[in-house]
Amino acid sequence: METAPQVAQEGTLLSDRNTDVTLEVHDAPQCTAVNDILARVGDKWSVRVVMALTDGSQRFNQLRREIPGISQRMLTRTLRGLERDGLVSRAVTPSVPPRVDYALTELGRSLCDPVARLGNWAIANIAKVEAARAVYDGGQD
């Protein structure tokens, strides 16, 4: 029986039957952009901040109290990244001390439903994932 030729890809051998997915050269920047966006919305803190803001704007310390385990530095970095990506807006009210409120933008609100669906999928399938992990880990001896 003749075997299919092997194609090396980043250390993994693939048969030519599994290389039907092609990436046009002009698609590479788009893939990079998609990866950047998925990295942002897939980040554990970004998801938690977005979900914390679904009911309306909040001040920094309100967010920090609502998201257990997040440090002040990480919340600051996460909010800046979400603001940079257009998912969160920052409104400063001049007062002493200055009042800063964070809210989801229209783009950020459009992310809530997919994130909630993914969370619901995780809840519905956690037992199956844990069972699969146990089987996999048991075979790693």
Side-chain angles (χ1 to χ4, degrees):
M1 179 172 160
E2 187 175 312
T3 60
Q6 300 293 305
V7 178
Q9 179 182 2
E10 295 184 21
T12 302
L13 294 177
L14 299 173
S15 73
D16 62 352
R17 294 181 302 251
N18 296 329
T19 59
D20 58 350
V21 176
T22 58
L23 176 64
E24 300 289 330
V25 173
H26 66 274
D27 289 342
Q30 186 176 5
C31 287
T32 301
V34 168
N35 288 340
D36 289 345
I37 292 169
L38 289 176
R40 167 70 58 218
V41 300
D43 171 75
K44 107 176 176 180
W45 297 121
S46 294
V47 168
R48 307 252 328 252
V49 168
V50 166
M51 294 314 291
L53 291 172
T54 50
D55 291 331
S57 69
Q58 290 192 38
R59 296 178 76 175
F60 184 90
N61 285 327
Q62 288 174 297
L63 282 169
R64 192 160 168 220
R65 282 189 297 272
E66 191 167 323
I67 304 170
I70 194 167
S71 67
Q72 180 172 335
R73 180 174 183 265
M74 187 52 68
L75 180 55
T76 299
R77 290 179 65 186
T78 302
L79 286 166
R80 284 182 183 159
L82 291 168
E83 185 179 6
R84 179 176 182 254
D85 290 345
L87 301 170
V88 168
S89 65
R90 180 178 184 265
V92 180
T93 304
S95 62
V96 178
R99 179 186 171 112
V100 180
D101 290 284
Y102 296 92
L104 293 176
T105 62
E106 185 177 333
L107 182 61
R109 283 189 300 278
S110 73
L111 181 60
C112 293
D113 184 52
V115 167
R117 281 188 278 140
L118 183 58
N120 289 336
W121 177 90
I123 291 167
N125 291 287
I126 194 162
K128 292 175 186 174
V129 170
E130 288 174 346
R133 287 177 180 169
V135 168
Y136 180 88
D137 293 345
Q140 296 299 310
D141 297 333

